Amino acid sequence: MAITLPALPYEANALEPHISANTLGFHHGKHHQTYVTNLNNLIQGTELAEESLEKIILAVANKPEKVGIFNNAAQVWNHTFYWNCMKKGGGGAPSGAIATKITEDFGSFEAFVEAFKSAGLTQFGSGWAWLVLEGGKLKITKTANADTPLAHDQKAILTVDVWEHAYYLDYQNKRADYLDVFLKSLVNWDFANANLKA
């Protein structure tokens, strides 16, 4: 079964004015699609061709000779997860179980915000900032390039993409502004709650 590009969970203009339809058109339609195409080409005719995306990632993680497959598979997964981390009218303080757990593990929502933004800002070059569940506790991590919590026995709860193609058309080099807008106006806490519960 070929890996396919999932549709965005909203219209391309749904996140405006925070993320433009132009950015989503390139980011989803070009970058995400390229990872899908590359992955299918790399696994065609191999034992991985019939596996799920998650199984492919776990099968090739930490294998230097399979790094091309890992990078493309992980980027397909990371991007699909990221689209769901945003919604129209999102952002602000969470409610429900994720709110309780954030306060429990970080001390306050404000402390979480500062730590999450710091992870995104200090990820040198391309990568991701994550809220993950590990050993029953929430923690903030950052991964370089295509790396993903799935390869580290961590459960992903939330992510923000800090590759420049995620924000450059709208924010140029102002990554801090993009992270601020992500948390204030875009983050999908319903998705985070669902991940925490799953």
Side-chain angles (χ1 to χ4, degrees):
M1 60 181 178
I3 302 297
T4 57
L5 179 71
L8 287 171
Y10 31 70
E11 294 299 319
N13 64 355
L15 304 182
E16 290 183 341
H18 312 298
I19 293 181
S20 65
N22 192 31
T23 287
L24 283 184
F26 279 103
H27 196 178
H28 175 259
K30 303 290 186 192
H31 291 278
H32 197 177
Q33 178 64 65
T34 296
Y35 298 127
V36 170
T37 302
N38 289 345
L39 177 59
N40 282 319
N41 288 338
L42 287 165
I43 63 173
Q44 188 175 8
T46 74
E47 72 280 0
L48 296 173
E50 298 304 314
E51 298 291 355
S52 69
L53 187 57
E54 290 79 5
K55 284 187 177 174
I56 294 169
I57 291 167
L58 294 173
V60 300
N62 304 310
K63 293 183 178 174
E65 71 279 11
K66 304 280 190 184
V67 69
I69 295 174
F70 176 80
N71 285 341
N72 285 282
Q75 282 292 78
V76 173
W77 193 92
N78 289 349
H79 279 86
T80 301
F81 191 86
Y82 168 66
W83 306 134
N84 285 283
C85 286
M86 300 180 288
K87 70 173 187 176
K88 183 180 179 71
S95 59
I98 193 69
T100 304
K101 189 73 174 145
I102 283 173
T103 301
E104 186 182 301
D105 292 342
F106 295 99
S108 68
F109 175 64
E110 291 71 26
F112 156 77
V113 166
E114 287 311 305
F116 191 78
K117 281 165 68 174
S118 176
L121 274 173
T122 58
Q123 172 52 44
F124 184 76
S126 300
W128 305 80
W130 301 87
L131 177 64
V132 301
L133 190 68
E134 184 176 43
K137 283 185 72 91
L138 288 176
K139 61 185 279 192
I140 289 165
T141 64
K142 52 188 178 178
T143 59
N145 300 317
D147 201 9
T148 183
L150 203 57
H152 302 282
D153 292 323
Q154 297 167 329
K155 183 180 187 180
I157 304 296
L158 190 72
T159 196
V160 63
D161 186 349
V162 293
W163 284 64
E164 282 192 339
H165 63 235
Y167 60 88
Y168 208 85
L169 291 176
D170 297 321
Y171 297 92
Q172 287 75 55
N173 64 326
K174 298 188 283 285
R175 187 187 286 188
D177 291 356
Y178 159 68
L179 290 168
D180 202 45
V181 166
F182 177 84
L183 287 163
K184 286 181 177 174
S185 303
L186 292 170
V187 64
N188 182 356
W189 290 117
D190 295 334
F191 183 64
N193 264 312
N195 292 327
L196 185 64
K197 186 179 178 182

